[in-house]
Amino acid sequence: MTATAHSGGRSRATPGRHSSDLLRQILVAVGAVVAVVGAFVGSGAAGGTPIAEAAGGALSADATLLAPAGGAFAIWSIIYLGLVAYAVWQLLPAQRTDARQRFIGYPVLLTLIMNAAWILSVQAGLLVLSAVIIVLLLIALCWAYGRIISSRARGRRSVIGTLLTDGTMGLYLGWVSIATAANLTSGLQFAGFTGFGWSAEAWGVAVVGVAGAVGVLVALWSRGSISPTLSLAWGLAWVAVSRLTGTLESTPVAVTAIAAAAVVVVVTVTARVAAVRAARSA
């Protein structure tokens, strides 16, 4: 269905404008509201139990060697603010038929709904289910961010649009990567996983190393996108803080986390510089 404008008895079609575009915009906005309400409940502000205390404290700073210190979770406020701003921005008429928003809208919506589902599962004390959901959330974020990267040549790109789309979703992806490692570790521990004979510290070092490797791959894949690295390095730094100052200390895990964060930052900057130079010489 196309929109039609009438002027002087003649009609002029507006190509590509469909009712499904408006539906997409509304659903993304509703998804953002659902995610923010879920976060409000999960923070304990509405009388519920804060995430760190839910499920018997399984996601607290000293629950596992992969859990970041409490200060790390302040980044959620920035991410949710960005998601709300993105949801409002993509509602503007100018974004209705934008090719890029058409391409990424529903993947972003999926991450918002799954975020709320994850919070509800933790609040319900369903730790194993929450681990499954956050893994699926991470997969959905990889899909959404992959589309964001591949669609950079599509539609209209402004500074504000890039910050709200690439920036917000990049922060979201980087942080959930760390949150997934912590939540999955708690879920496996709760389920009685013994680690195939490896010590908890060995597993901690290995998983932190994998998180760093994922950050390096994202940096290379996105040609030096800054936002995923910022949140991933933030999370790794707070894992180190927790292991050095909390009751569950581990110098090897802390050192690995610091080294992983440093490597991810260096690779990101190098990839970014290379991408800028390639663009200038093209």
Side-chain angles (χ1 to χ4, degrees):
M1 183 175 67
T2 59
T4 305
H6 296 275
S7 177
R10 294 182 299 172
S11 63
R12 182 180 63 197
T14 304
R17 179 162 293 184
H18 301 280
S19 58
S20 59
D21 290 317
L22 179 59
L23 176 63
R24 182 200 72 244
Q25 290 178 296
I26 293 173
L27 288 176
V28 170
V30 171
V33 171
V34 169
V36 170
V37 169
F40 186 71
V41 172
S43 69
T49 305
I51 290 292
E53 299 173 15
L59 298 179
S60 66
D62 294 313
T64 71
L65 291 174
L66 274 299
F73 298 95
I75 197 172
W76 271 123
S77 298
I78 299 173
I79 292 171
Y80 283 122
L81 180 62
L83 289 172
V84 170
Y86 167 76
V88 172
W89 174 80
Q90 64 85 43
L91 267 176
L92 298 176
Q95 309 309 320
R96 187 161 301 166
T97 59
D98 181 72
R100 195 176 195 218
Q101 296 308 312
R102 283 174 168 171
F103 193 59
I104 69 174
Y106 284 110
V108 170
L109 173 62
L110 178 60
T111 71
L112 296 170
I113 299 302
M114 294 192 70
N115 187 305
W118 172 71
I119 291 173
L120 291 175
S121 66
V122 174
Q123 286 290 328
L126 302 174
L127 190 60
V128 175
L129 177 61
S130 74
V132 172
I133 292 175
I134 202 168
V135 168
L136 295 176
L137 170 59
L138 180 60
I139 293 171
L141 276 167
C142 289
W143 177 41
Y145 200 67
R147 286 203 156 202
I148 287 170
I149 292 172
S150 65
S151 66
R152 284 176 175 170
R154 296 182 181 220
R156 298 174 292 273
R157 290 188 65 198
S158 62
V159 173
I160 292 177
T162 299
L163 286 174
L164 294 180
T165 303
D166 301 51
T168 297
M169 295 305 294
L171 287 176
Y172 194 8
L173 172 61
W175 172 246
V176 169
S177 297
I178 293 297
T180 298
N183 199 161
L184 191 57
T185 301
S186 295
L188 289 171
Q189 183 173 282
F190 179 81
F193 178 64
T194 58
F196 301 122
W198 286 24
S199 68
E201 198 162 56
W203 273 107
V205 169
V207 174
V208 167
V210 169
V214 169
V216 167
L217 290 175
V218 171
L220 296 174
W221 173 44
S222 63
R223 299 201 301 172
S225 290
I226 303 299
S227 54
T229 291
L230 288 177
S231 53
L232 183 61
W234 169 271
L236 287 169
W238 280 100
V239 169
V241 170
S242 191
R243 298 292 68 79
L244 292 173
T245 63
T247 59
L248 191 60
E249 295 185 2
S250 173
T251 300
V253 173
V255 171
T256 304
I258 293 170
V263 169
V264 173
V265 169
V266 170
V267 171
T268 300
V269 172
T270 302
R272 186 73 172 184
V273 170
V276 171
R277 287 177 176 173
R280 287 176 178 174
S281 62

